[in-house]
């Protein structure tokens, strides 16, 4: 049964990857957008309030975390488009493992997210950024970032199934922006008003960004956030993964 589910999920993953060839512009935009944000905040807008040391060392790990929160609209649109075109109904009429469509979609998104991380890290290196901690810390940081992305992805899939229509995705996508910008990705909580700093410190993305900075050896970074950066995404997955699968299973009932 497990092998059957894995085979079905891989088939759906290949289906989603085939869209990259048909829609290369969307893939390029998703990869270039975080690079533009990095250059804008690092060199145009400026920043670094409350940051000790080089702002670039603080900003790039934050941008890596911010990239994992953004870009969910592609997956959400794909899910709602399949719903409205009757594609999912046809898939559900086949002898296919329940949820394979969603798993395939999430797997393709994770591959794109890993590629986006690689591109952004490459740009950071080209700008002179040098992460500390060596290869092990780099792999650990990427693991935390992708775990956060995986949790955000299943929140997005569940909301897409609830929204049901592509035109509603944009309204739902707006909810992602507070998660991204009410965090310590761009500035320290200590530089913010007290109440806002408290909100930022409780943001799951802030824990991920802080843990990544810790692994990269950024000066002045609090330690001990790695476990929180693991626990928060796992807690979100525990809630939203079964909700999404259950919602998907009830679509045709």
């Amino acid at each position: 049964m497990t092998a059957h589910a894995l085979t079905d999920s891989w088939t759906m993953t290949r289906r989603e990857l085939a869209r990259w060839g048909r829609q290369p512009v969307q893939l390029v935009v998703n990869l270039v957008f975080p690079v533009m944000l990095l250059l804008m905040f690092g060199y145009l807008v400026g920043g670094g309030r409350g940051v000790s040391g080089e702002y670039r060392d603080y900003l790039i790990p934050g941008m890596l975390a911010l990239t994992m929160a953004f870009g969910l609209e592609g997956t959400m649109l794909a899910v709602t488009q399949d719903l409205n075109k009757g594609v999912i109904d046809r898939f559900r009429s086949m002898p296919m493992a329940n949820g394979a469509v969603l798993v395939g979609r999430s797997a393709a998104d994770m591959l794109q997210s890993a590629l986006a991380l690689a591109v952004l890290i490459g740009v950071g290196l080209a700008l002179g950024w040098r992460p500390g901690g060596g290869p092990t810390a780099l792999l650990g940081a990427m693991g935390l970032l992708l775990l956060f992305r995986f949790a955000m992805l299943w929140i997005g899939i569940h909301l897409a199934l609830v929204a049901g229509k592509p035109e509603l995705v944009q309204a739902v996508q707006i909810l992602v922006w507070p998660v991204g910008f009410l965090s310590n990705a761009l500035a320290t909580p200590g530089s913010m008003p007290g109440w806002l700093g408290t909100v930022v410190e409780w943001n799951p993305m802030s824990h991920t960004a802080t843990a990544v900075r810790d692994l990269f050896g950024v000066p002045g970074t609090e330690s001990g956030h790695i476990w929180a950066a693991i626990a928060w995404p796992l807690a979100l997955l525990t809630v939203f993964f079964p909700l999404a699968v259950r919602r998907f299973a009830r679509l045709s009932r």
Side-chain angles (χ1 to χ4, degrees):
M1 186 66 178
T2 302
H4 173 63
L6 290 175
T7 300
D8 290 344
S9 297
W10 174 239
T11 300
M12 292 296 99
T13 301
R14 288 190 291 111
R15 170 181 176 260
E16 297 300 333
L17 293 178
R19 294 190 183 189
W20 291 10
R22 298 193 299 270
Q23 301 173 347
V25 174
Q26 181 179 349
L27 175 62
V28 172
V29 169
N30 289 336
L31 296 178
V32 172
F33 180 67
V35 175
M36 292 175 59
L37 285 180
L38 172 61
L39 297 176
M40 181 177 68
F41 283 105
Y43 296 94
L44 181 61
V45 178
R49 293 179 58 191
V51 175
S52 59
E54 178 66 42
Y55 181 53
R56 179 181 56 197
D57 294 335
Y58 183 92
L59 174 64
I60 291 179
M63 285 302 309
L64 293 173
L66 198 62
T67 301
M68 296 298 94
F70 288 169
L72 296 175
E73 66 272 8
T75 291
M76 296 171 70
L77 280 172
V79 171
T80 54
Q81 287 172 353
D82 283 348
L83 282 173
N84 285 269
K85 292 178 181 178
V87 175
I88 288 183
D89 286 336
R90 289 197 293 272
F91 283 145
R92 288 176 58 83
S93 67
M94 299 177 182
M96 180 184 297
N98 186 37
V101 176
L102 302 183
V103 173
R105 179 62 241 184
S106 64
D109 185 287
M110 293 300 292
L111 289 173
Q112 180 176 307
S113 299
L115 182 59
L117 282 180
V119 170
L120 198 56
I121 289 173
V123 171
L125 294 173
L127 295 174
W129 171 66
R130 295 295 180 266
T136 301
L138 179 60
L139 291 175
M142 291 191 69
L144 291 178
L145 290 164
L146 290 174
L147 177 62
F148 177 70
R149 174 63 173 193
F150 194 58
M152 291 295 295
L153 179 62
W154 280 97
I155 294 175
I157 289 175
H158 173 64
L159 293 177
L161 292 172
V162 171
K165 296 181 179 180
E167 54 268 25
L168 296 179
V169 167
Q170 185 175 4
V172 174
Q173 174 65 13
I174 294 175
L175 299 175
V176 177
W177 289 85
V179 175
F181 287 111
L182 289 178
S183 72
N184 64 2
L186 306 176
T188 64
S191 65
M192 305 173 187
W195 66 271
L196 184 59
T198 301
V199 172
V200 166
E201 288 177 347
W202 275 95
N203 188 335
M205 198 183 93
S206 294
H207 291 289
T208 297
T210 303
V212 171
R213 292 187 183 108
D214 186 22
L215 289 171
F216 287 159
V218 177
T221 301
E222 293 183 7
S223 59
H225 285 259
I226 292 179
W227 288 112
I230 296 173
W232 265 111
L234 291 180
L236 293 172
L237 280 170
T238 300
V239 174
F240 286 97
F241 181 85
L243 282 177
V245 173
R246 192 176 303 121
R247 180 83 182 186
F248 179 79
R250 291 205 305 251
L251 287 178
S252 296
R253 293 181 182 177

